[in-house]
């Protein structure tokens, strides 16, 4: 039982360092994040696949009852952060694309959608995924890597409190974490180490979700880990074809004790999709529209067991947005 409670954070080593030389951090529930003990390198311990909690999470992967979204502020057109200067955002079209997504979640899939109001002083606030990581009944409020985004957490906190979730706040000023760097597979977490997320943030996430192994993955050439990957179904990782995406996938395969299936698409941006498992509706996949990425759409069409719903994200992609960015999905199993 004690071994089952122990977890190690397996940090991905640079290519020139053998995997056996990875550094790990041992975490204990009784210690606050600032006091996490550091241990020398050793083979990572991962929770047993026979644990009741892990088995339950795998069987319920993709289940969702609620979604938290946030309206678009007009300020995003001129002031939202972006990695590179590019085309101007068409706000009216971005609004239509956003409303289509919200309509699918609410009307087509039957989720209870909590829509937070836009805040013109927070031009990136539509990207709610970055400010909260929710797993089962626990929500970790993050500390976004961009200082201009940190006040976005306040409205999310109120929304998640209204759902009676267990709230954990990331207050360590040495930590940064964007939810776009967090990939949960139902078995474990992969956390991208990017310009927005650091190792300390990954450590705090690992300390928050103690039943799951957590591995870090260096991210190069993209904003977030999920800029080129996501879960397209139970045990199925959608991954882009770029060298950066394939390198990250290789790292995840090396770090994990589990073998995942993969769905490789030609376009990195199209690899970011939203999988849900809705009772009475089955496997649902929201994916980028064929008019945006026709070759990648053909790959998704091979998923015969999924209900495929194409969603355009053309305008928000101009400011580094993707399909998973604009919602926080929650599966409430207890009474509100």
């Amino acid at each position: 039982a004690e071994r089952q409670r122990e977890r190690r954070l397996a940090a991905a080593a640079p290519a020139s360092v053998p995997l056996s030389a990875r550094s790990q951090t041992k975490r204990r529930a009784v210690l606050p994040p600032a006091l996490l003990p550091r241990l020398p390198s050793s083979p990572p311990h991962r929770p047993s696949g026979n644990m009741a909690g892990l088995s339950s999470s795998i069987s319920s992967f993709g289940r969702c009852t609620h979604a938290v979204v946030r309206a678009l502020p007009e300020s995003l057109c001129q002031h939202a952060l972006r990695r590179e200067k590019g085309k101007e955002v068409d706000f009216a079209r971005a609004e239509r694309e956003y409303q289509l997504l919200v309509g699918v979640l609410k009307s087509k899939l039957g989720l209870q959608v909590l829509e937070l109001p836009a805040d013109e002083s927070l031009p990136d606030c539509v990207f709610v995924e970055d400010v909260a990581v929710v797993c089962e009944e626990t929500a970790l409020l993050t500390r976004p890597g961009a200082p201009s985004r940190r006040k976005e957490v306040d409205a999310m906190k109120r929304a998640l409190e209204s759902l009676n979730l267990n709230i954990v706040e990331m207050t360590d000023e040495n930590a940064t974490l964007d939810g776009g760097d967090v990939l949960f597979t139902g078995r474990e977490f992969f956390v991208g180490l990017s310009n927005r997320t650091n190792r300390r943030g990954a450590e705090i996430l690992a300390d928050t979700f103690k039943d799951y192994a957590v591995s870090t993955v260096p991210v190069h050439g993209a904003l977030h880990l999920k800029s080129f990957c996501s879960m397209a179904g139970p045990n199925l990782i959608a991954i882009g074809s770029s060298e950066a995406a394939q390198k990250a996938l290789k790292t995840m395969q090396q770090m994990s004790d589990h073998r995942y299936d993969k769905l490789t698409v030609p376009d990195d941006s199209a690899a970011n999709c939203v999988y849900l498992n809705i009772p009475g509706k089955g496997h649902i996949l929201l994916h980028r529209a064929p008019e945006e990425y026709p070759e990648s759409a053909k790959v998704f069409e091979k998923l015969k067991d999924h209900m495929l719903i194409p969603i355009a994200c053309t305008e928000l992609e101009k400011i580094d947005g993707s399909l998973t960015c604009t919602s926080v999905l929650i599966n409430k199993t207890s009474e509100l």
Side-chain angles (χ1 to χ4, degrees), residues 72-91 94-95 97 122-127 130 149 178 196 223-224 227 269 288 313-322 325-326:
L72 281 69
E74 292 187 22
S75 59
L76 72 82
C77 295
Q78 298 297 326
H79 302 295
L81 301 173
R82 56 170 69 189
R83 294 178 64 235
E84 299 176 353
K85 289 185 178 181
K87 296 180 180 179
E88 184 175 339
V89 174
D90 181 333
F91 183 79
E95 178 73 15
E97 292 175 347
L122 299 171
D124 293 280
C125 66
V126 65
F127 301 127
D130 289 326
R149 300 195 59 191
D178 275 15
R196 299 287 181 86
L223 180 65
H224 291 132
S227 296
S269 295
R288 296 296 292 271
C313 191
T314 303
E315 296 307 311
L316 292 185
E317 185 179 357
K318 294 176 182 177
I319 49 175
D320 304 315
S322 53
C325 293
T326 53

Side-chain angles (χ1 to χ4, degrees), residues 64-67 104-107 109-113 276 278 329:
C64 182
T65 59
H66 294 71
V104 166
L105 295 176
K106 184 184 299 185
S107 302
L109 302 183
L111 303 185
Q112 296 187 50
V113 177
L276 303 100
I278 306 297
L329 301 177

